[in-house]
Amino acid sequence: MVAGHLGTPESLIRHQLLDMTAGYLSFRCDADDFLTEYFSDICTEKCYRSNISACCSREGIITFFADVVINLLVSGPEEIPELRAVLEKENRGFKCVYLGKKGCLWRVKPVVCEMFLCDTSKNKLFSRKPGLVQEWKALKKKEKSFTWPDRPVLFDKIESYFKAAGFSSSLMYMHNSPGLLRVKKLAKMRDA
Ligand code: SF4
């Protein structure tokens, strides 16, 4: 439904939303560079080779509605049917339905997936290179500037945009999670 609403690559809605998300996509590139440079070896060695990965588990995924929209905005036309196809299959395994043979099927995976690092991997890297702790904290702070609704944030704006267009989804946590609604309420009281 979201892909249908976004329309063709030239559609006005698509261009407006891409403008809105430019800063976020730049943040995701920075996060990706950091994780690739410092964590890919640790994760490959610790989890993939030994097969003990707790990442990408079936029950572990949390997806915001904005994650879906942003991923579809940057996905090629051949990638979207692939995502739909896996959703139509029954998942009897222990892993996330989106985990393909070459990794995650999303072009821009959900932000919670991107910014999750297990304690073992963090301890391993940060004990060797304590200077990187600040860099990681800065990325986490930047993440919140898009996703934590104690101020107007991109993820909330995207949900509002689609709600106004008549969409409703259980993934609209900015509008239906009691915890996040409380964050918004407290922020309003703070700013009043
Ligand atoms: S969406 Fe992608 S990164 Fe997130 S749990 Fe599933 S396969 Fe892993």
Side-chain angles (χ1 to χ4, degrees), residues 86-130:
V86 293
L87 284 178
E88 281 161 12
K89 281 191 215 150
E90 191 183 356
N91 183 11
R92 292 198 180 162
F94 295 105
K95 290 292 180 186
C96 170
V97 68
Y98 296 117
L99 187 61
K101 286 203 172 76
K102 291 183 191 160
C104 182
L105 294 174
W106 289 46
R107 182 166 282 271
V108 175
K109 66 177 81 154
V111 69
V112 171
C113 303
E114 177 79 345
M115 300 303 286
F116 170 77
L117 288 173
C118 70
D119 288 342
T120 312
S121 65
K122 278 191 287 190
N123 292 341
K124 199 163 180 176
L125 181 76
F126 295 149
S127 61
R128 275 197 327 238
K129 298 186 176 182

Side-chain angles (χ1 to χ4, degrees), residues 1-189:
M1 285 166 67
V2 172
H5 186 71
L6 294 176
T8 63
E10 296 79 31
S11 76
L12 181 63
I13 299 169
R14 199 176 267 275
H15 283 289
Q16 284 173 339
L17 285 166
L18 274 170
D19 281 350
M20 263 170 82
T21 52
Y24 175 74
L25 290 172
S26 163
F27 152 69
R28 288 297 299 263
C29 285
D30 293 344
D32 204 43
D33 289 346
F34 179 88
L35 294 167
T36 304
E37 180 162 0
Y38 298 115
F39 281 93
S40 64
D41 286 350
I42 293 175
C43 297
T44 305
E45 179 197 323
K46 180 187 169 292
C47 286
Y48 288 108
R49 291 214 185 102
S50 57
N51 249 338
I52 56 167
S53 173
C55 300
C56 301
S57 61
R58 181 175 157 167
E59 310 298 346
I61 179 171
I62 297 171
T63 313
F64 288 96
F65 188 79
D67 284 317
V68 175
V69 175
I70 292 164
N71 184 54
L72 292 179
L73 276 173
V74 296
S75 294
E78 72 293 344
E79 291 169 303
I80 296 168
E82 205 177 348
L83 293 171
R84 289 179 63 169
V86 293
L87 284 178
E88 281 161 12
K89 281 191 215 150
E90 191 183 356
N91 183 11
R92 292 198 180 162
F94 295 105
K95 290 292 180 186
C96 170
V97 68
Y98 296 117
L99 187 61
K101 286 203 172 76
K102 291 183 191 160
C104 182
L105 294 174
W106 289 46
R107 182 166 282 271
V108 175
K109 66 177 81 154
V111 69
V112 171
C113 303
E114 177 79 345
M115 300 303 286
F116 170 77
L117 288 173
C118 70
D119 288 342
T120 312
S121 65
K122 278 191 287 190
N123 292 341
K124 199 163 180 176
L125 181 76
F126 295 149
S127 61
R128 275 197 327 238
K129 298 186 176 182
L132 292 174
V133 173
Q134 287 312 318
E135 227 175 298
W136 177 242
K137 281 188 179 167
L139 285 169
K140 292 294 286 178
K141 194 170 168 197
K142 190 86 184 166
E143 175 195 6
K144 278 183 108 175
S145 75
F146 297 107
T147 61
W148 192 248
D150 61 349
R151 73 198 88 176
V153 289
L154 176 71
F155 275 39
D156 197 8
K157 285 183 198 160
I158 290 179
E159 278 187 19
S160 299
Y161 183 101
F162 276 83
K163 274 185 90 63
F167 281 68
S168 173
S169 164
S170 58
L171 301 184
M172 289 179 166
Y173 297 117
M174 298 285 159
H175 289 83
N176 61 24
S177 150
L180 293 181
L181 289 173
R182 187 169 155 75
V183 169
K184 285 195 209 178
K185 193 173 159 190
L186 289 175
K188 255 192 197 155
M189 284 160 59

